[in-house]
Amino acid sequence: MSRYAVFGNPISHSQSPAIHRQFAKQTGVTLSYDRQQIDVGKFHSAAEIFFSEGGAGLNVTVPFKLDAFEYAEELSDRAAQAGAVNTLIFNNGVIKGDNTDGEGLLRDLKHNLQWPIEQKNILLLGAGGAVRGVLGALLSASPASLIIANRTEAKAQELVLRFEQAAEKAKCKMVACGLEQLSTPFDLVINGTSASLGGELPPIATSVVVDSLCYDMMYGKDPTAFLSWAKSSAARDTADGLGMLVEQAAESFYLWCGVRPNTAPVIQFVRNSL
Ligand code: NDP
């Protein structure tokens, strides 16, 4: 039986084992999938033990995506572009790092929600690991413009520089700014900050979300603080990041097992269990 796991800290909240067990059941793949809380600074040694004991693949979540990037012996183009890894694959004696967060977000936006991206004006809030992971995929969908706004503006500026070539290739106007500078509405607003984790809101004007489609990468049983605020600020529609979570897991499952699971019933399964 192939062994998989997710490494993170904290990890007790992780839905990944439930999601991958659903995928396995659905596709007839036999696997085991556990969650492991790893001490900060111990990622490398824990991954060594996991793979030397026959582990076939790992998912990696906060705060280890940069450690996984350094640990991987080979990188996919999208992981190299993001500078972060959320999936490790052991294949033919080599540990390859990939990043499925961007594909997960794109599939949720385009296929599940049917929210258009091409030629749209997009606002991406935040400049942490999650935003880094999704920028390449968002740009590949050719938005007209992409504004990265972050509390610490310098981090947003760094991302604009890092993804400059991808933006040029997509003919997308990409700029960075601080949160307080925003005023005009966008077609699509994606909250990639961790503010919702603490029930907080990024400090942006309500005018920014009027008639916008608003997405929060965070998810929960109830609407997040950002989505409740967006709804009461006249957003056109809102969605949380549960679909992204399941879609990025499906992409990892595909990389490991070569089978693409049907995500819709699994999104519903996880939604019901929250
Ligand atoms: P990081 O810690 O790497 O980055 C956090 C970001 O949030 C930074 O840009 C930080 O700004 C900003 N921030 C934090 N608190 C506030 C606040 N109160 N007001 C404004 N900005 C704030 O986290 P990640 O990028 O890894 O994760 C971000 C979110 O995305 C989390 O909610 C996480 O759960 C979610 N996520 C969801 C996934 C999914 O599959 N659905 C996948 C990955 C992440 P600054 O730079 O100034 O500190």
Side-chain angles (χ1 to χ4, degrees), residues 62 126-130 150-152 155 192-195 200 217 241 244-245:
V62 176
N150 194 42
R151 184 173 62 180
T152 312
K155 285 196 206 166
T193 74
S194 52
E200 290 174 25
M217 289 195 201
M244 173 182 172
L245 176 80

Side-chain angles (χ1 to χ4, degrees), residues 181-228:
Q181 287 158 256
L182 300 162
S183 59
T184 52
F186 290 80
D187 297 311
L188 171 61
V189 179
I190 301 169
N191 183 19
T193 74
S194 52
S196 289
L197 282 172
E200 290 174 25
L201 285 171
I204 55 172
T206 51
S207 53
V208 170
V209 296
V210 171
D211 204 27
S212 303
L213 297 169
C214 291
Y215 190 94
D216 197 342
M217 289 195 201
M218 166 86 185
Y219 61 88
K221 188 176 167 60
D222 300 313
T224 66
F226 174 74
L227 295 182
S228 299

Side-chain angles (χ1 to χ4, degrees), residues 75-208:
L75 292 168
S76 67
D77 289 346
R78 57 192 178 184
Q81 188 185 38
V85 159
N86 78 337
T87 307
L88 290 166
I89 308 130
F90 186 67
N91 199 5
N92 290 328
V94 177
I95 294 167
K96 184 170 177 182
D98 207 329
N99 194 316
T100 65
D101 280 338
E103 180 65 18
L105 175 66
L106 213 54
R107 277 182 175 267
D108 198 33
L109 291 173
K110 286 176 71 171
H111 299 282
N112 299 340
L113 297 164
Q114 305 264 311
W115 288 3
I117 298 173
E118 198 176 338
Q119 289 309 310
K120 298 297 178 191
N121 297 310
I122 301 183
L123 170 63
L124 195 45
L125 302 169
V131 166
R132 222 180 151 96
V134 303
L135 261 173
L138 277 178
L139 286 168
S140 74
S142 302
S145 70
L146 185 53
I147 312 300
I148 308 173
N150 194 42
R151 184 173 62 180
T152 312
E153 192 180 334
K155 285 196 206 166
Q157 301 281 8
E158 277 169 32
L159 287 183
V160 166
L161 283 179
R162 183 176 188 99
F163 287 85
E164 202 170 25
Q165 282 184 355
E168 269 170 27
K169 196 172 159 208
K171 296 189 172 53
C172 171
K173 187 178 163 229
M174 183 166 63
V175 291
C177 68
L179 297 170
E180 285 85 0
Q181 287 158 256
L182 300 162
S183 59
T184 52
F186 290 80
D187 297 311
L188 171 61
V189 179
I190 301 169
N191 183 19
T193 74
S194 52
S196 289
L197 282 172
E200 290 174 25
L201 285 171
I204 55 172
T206 51
S207 53
V208 170

